[in-house]
Amino acid sequence: MSKVGFLFPVLFVLASCAPSPNSGEGDQEVLYQYAQASCLFWHFKEKGYDTDDIRSITGGIVERSNISAEKFQEISLFVKSYSPQLESKNNISVSLNKCFHLKQSEGLQEIIDK
């Protein structure tokens, strides 16, 4: 599968995560969505893929939220350095696999809850 073919479904899912002003979603959910998008950004950046679209999605989440930019930055830096010990059935890279386990991270939860 080409990089573009792979990125389109991922970007579609991420775009659906962006909060709308009247969505009623709690700040916690918005921050977890941002953490997941940020995680995918760092993974694609590590692989050398074009990250402009993902950067636009994460930026859109920040812009549409009433949460401070500093909170988002703290989450992004946490996600970048987060390296849990995870097992994989098919040797999925840790940088990708961790994106699917963020909600179980006590460190991320502490950042989101403060």
Side-chain angles (χ1 to χ4, degrees), residues 96-108:
L96 178 59
N97 199 7
K98 73 181 182 180
C99 298
F100 303 108
H101 296 274
L102 288 171
K103 280 201 173 184
Q104 290 82 29
S105 167
E106 291 178 13
L108 179 60

Side-chain angles (χ1 to χ4, degrees), residues 65-84:
S65 168
N66 61 355
I67 302 166
S68 74
E70 290 78 18
K71 174 81 94 172
F72 288 106
Q73 182 178 17
E74 187 177 2
I75 289 170
S76 184
L77 293 174
F78 170 84
V79 167
K80 181 181 181 184
S81 64
Y82 177 56
S83 57

Side-chain angles (χ1 to χ4, degrees), residues 31-84:
L31 291 170
Y32 278 115
Q33 290 171 350
Y34 175 82
Q36 189 166 25
S38 180
C39 188
L40 291 171
F41 168 83
W42 290 117
H43 170 72
F44 288 131
K45 187 168 182 76
E46 176 185 297
K47 295 294 185 186
Y49 298 156
D50 183 315
T51 57
D52 290 346
D53 289 336
I54 297 175
R55 183 182 301 270
S56 295
I57 291 168
T58 57
I61 293 171
V62 173
E63 282 297 317
R64 295 183 58 118
S65 168
N66 61 355
I67 302 166
S68 74
E70 290 78 18
K71 174 81 94 172
F72 288 106
Q73 182 178 17
E74 187 177 2
I75 289 170
S76 184
L77 293 174
F78 170 84
V79 167
K80 181 181 181 184
S81 64
Y82 177 56
S83 57

